[in-house]
Amino acid sequence: MFIVIRRLRLPPISVGRFQNQVWTPPLHALFSTHIVADKPILVRDFVHSALYHPLHGYFSQRPRSVGVLHSSIKFNQLEGRKAYMRYLDNIYKQNDISWFTPVEIFKPWYAHAIAEAIMRTANFSVPLKIYEIGGGSGTCAKGILDYIMLNAPPKVYNSMTYTSVEISPSLAEVQRETVGEVRSHIPKFRVECRDAADRRGWGDVERQPCWVIMLEVLDNLPHDLVYSENQVSPWMEVWVERQHGRETLGELYKPLQDPLITRCVEIMDMDEPKTTRSIAVPTLKGIWSKVYPKPRRCWLPTGCLKLLEVLHEVLPKMSLIASDFSYLPDVKVPGERAPLVSTKKDGSSSDYENYMDAKGDADIFFPTDFWLLERIDHYCSGWLKLKGDHTSKKGKKRRTITLDTSAFMEEFGLPTKTRTKDGYNPLLDDFKNTKFYLSVPTHNIK
């Protein structure tokens, strides 16, 4: 996905003064009652249904939303940026799909860099096991299998397994077709069509080392929303409910009680500085909040927390490679870490100002806070403990690093393969708002 930075302006928000008060969006969200019925649902359940509902969800209605290029782009034959942009524009018009992922645009080099990162740190004394969450079109899987087949010792390729955990049945079939283009890959690759965040689908705990790959997965995981009416008021959960007697949606605010939301809030707040300079500071803050109340809305990656809790439980020796957007342009939905809600029709994109306007026709994707991702990773591994957790058991610390995409590709990839004639390199020059997160286990428990 090529990102163009544009001007951003957030709309004002009407807020209530009391908990359980309903906020009605300025643009009424006419939404299918299959998503929000008579009882309110948490925002994460709304997002999950809007994206993944088997009949009404965005990915179910647009099974070919992820594009597949029939051949690799020959960057060294393009003059420069303008030629590259024209080439991309033609590809999108010819395919009439929502987006091409980076691993698709830069195939096979993007996947080869990930394979190289795995090979540099993998323990080859045991069979190599790779899990990919949300494998898209299968291009990453095929590229990694290709690279290991050509560059690793034969015993590594011959004994390895590659499992794609894919929630979309249509994409699962595309992955089988893509990887099946190389006959020797077929017995090593399998697709499990299920939700990776559902513990029941994993079976027994895998005690051997393995790798988990997540490319542009975190941005489509369900998020929750918390709201505070001013700078000192406590956070409240946001629920989505149908307006009485109308086919419109509103928000319902409740005190924090959901365990997943509560844990996520605590993970975020653990290191808040505690000032002892003056008791007048909170007093002044309280006065200021009454004079100039500033409502707060914060999106929480509860879907990421749930997924990593499951992964650390079932794959305690996993190494993780995740890539995603560190920020998003043109976000009209209010709140910290708010999503971009975007739809595409007749080749042109438009963005919604309210997440409740998504009716299965829009992609809802979030920026990733990589600092928070690291904290969640350490919490789920058992190394980072929440306030009030006095248990003696402590997990093993993990070695983690966050890299800009350009730094990752320069370290593990072949940047010359994606360079145009005049030296312009879209992989290094354009993806400034994407990062890689690497996390590997360690025996250091000090």
Side-chain angles (χ1 to χ4, degrees), residues 164-170 172 176 191-195:
S164 173
V165 182
E166 175 58 58
I167 197 170
S168 167
S170 58
R176 294 187 185 96
V191 183
E192 297 179 359
C193 197
R194 57 184 175 85
D195 184 354

Side-chain angles (χ1 to χ4, degrees), residues 218 223 263-265 267-268 270 300-309 312 320 337 368-384 386 398 437:
L218 300 175
H223 282 55
R263 289 201 301 276
C264 204
V265 169
I267 291 171
M268 293 171 59
M270 277 189 295
L300 306 179
T302 45
C304 172
L305 173 58
K306 181 182 178 182
L307 175 60
L308 286 182
E309 283 182 333
H312 276 288
L320 173 66
R337 290 183 295 273
T368 296
D369 184 335
F370 282 85
W371 171 85
L372 182 54
L373 173 61
E374 183 181 44
R375 292 184 65 81
I376 293 174
D377 186 25
H378 285 309
Y379 164 74
C380 294
S381 72
W383 175 255
L384 196 62
L386 300 180
R398 298 176 66 81
Y437 176 73

Side-chain angles (χ1 to χ4, degrees), residues 282-338:
T283 302
L284 291 173
K285 189 175 181 181
I287 295 173
W288 184 260
S289 68
K290 292 180 180 179
V291 177
Y292 297 104
K294 184 180 180 181
R296 297 180 294 166
R297 298 169 70 84
C298 183
W299 293 83
L300 306 179
T302 45
C304 172
L305 173 58
K306 181 182 178 182
L307 175 60
L308 286 182
E309 283 182 333
V310 169
L311 292 178
H312 276 288
E313 177 186 347
V314 299
L315 307 172
K317 293 184 178 181
M318 74 165 179
S319 296
L320 173 66
I321 296 181
S323 175
D324 231 301
F325 299 98
S326 56
Y327 71 91
L328 294 170
D330 309 312
V331 175
K332 297 180 180 180
V333 177
E336 185 178 353
R337 290 183 295 273

